[in-house]
Amino acid sequence: MTNLRAAVASTARHLHAAGWVANHDGNVTARDGVRYIATPTGTSKRLVTDRDLVEVDGNGAVIGTGKVFGEIGLHLAVYERRPDVGAVIHAHPPNATAIASSRGNPIEVPFIAEALVSLGPRIPKIAYAQPGAE
């Protein structure tokens, strides 16, 4: 589990360094059997170390100390539906955030060939929801 904790903390710091999260934005989790390692809420991803991480069970209840972020249910839903997934990263890359925040769906028409090849002809969007909503 030590290597997994180090990887989660390192990923959080990389997200901040890349500009994909600002301060407390985004979260990282990783599966360790029936437990999950998560970045803590209210902590800059730039400052996260393996000692800061929170351990939660499959219901999102904290094991030990720390406070988990409000979107933990979304991460756990991914793990429940996809047993092949070992980690979930929630970030706010500026370009993806701009597309997600736009009205309508500006990417129903491919905008560059690489997007068509990499992402497909259409990228669906879902409606806005408050953090922590089911």
Side-chain angles (χ1 to χ4, degrees):
M1 183 179 314
T2 301
N3 289 341
L4 186 61
R5 292 179 75 87
V8 169
S10 175
T11 300
R13 292 189 304 271
H14 282 296
L15 289 172
H16 187 277
W20 285 13
V21 294
N23 201 19
H24 302 117
D25 289 354
N27 290 290
V28 181
T29 59
R31 185 193 319 244
D32 183 33
V34 296
R35 293 182 173 187
Y36 304 87
I37 305 301
T39 51
T41 192
T43 302
S44 172
K45 301 310 169 276
R46 179 179 67 86
L47 302 174
V48 171
T49 70
D50 57 339
R51 292 182 307 270
D52 301 315
L53 300 175
V54 179
E55 191 172 332
V56 299
D57 66 16
N59 295 316
V62 174
I63 300 167
T65 61
K67 186 173 179 188
V68 73
F69 54 89
E71 298 89 351
I72 189 65
L74 177 60
H75 287 236
L76 294 175
V78 172
Y79 293 122
E80 181 182 327
R81 288 166 179 79
R82 293 285 307 273
D84 58 316
V85 170
V88 175
I89 299 172
H90 163 199
H92 298 169
N95 293 338
T97 300
I99 290 170
S101 300
S102 64
R103 293 184 185 263
N105 195 339
I107 46 185
E108 286 185 347
V109 176
F111 49 97
I112 59 173
E114 291 82 0
L116 180 62
V117 171
S118 299
L119 304 173
R122 183 175 183 279
I123 302 170
K125 291 177 17 178
I126 60 172
Y128 173 79
Q130 289 285 347
E134 290 188 14

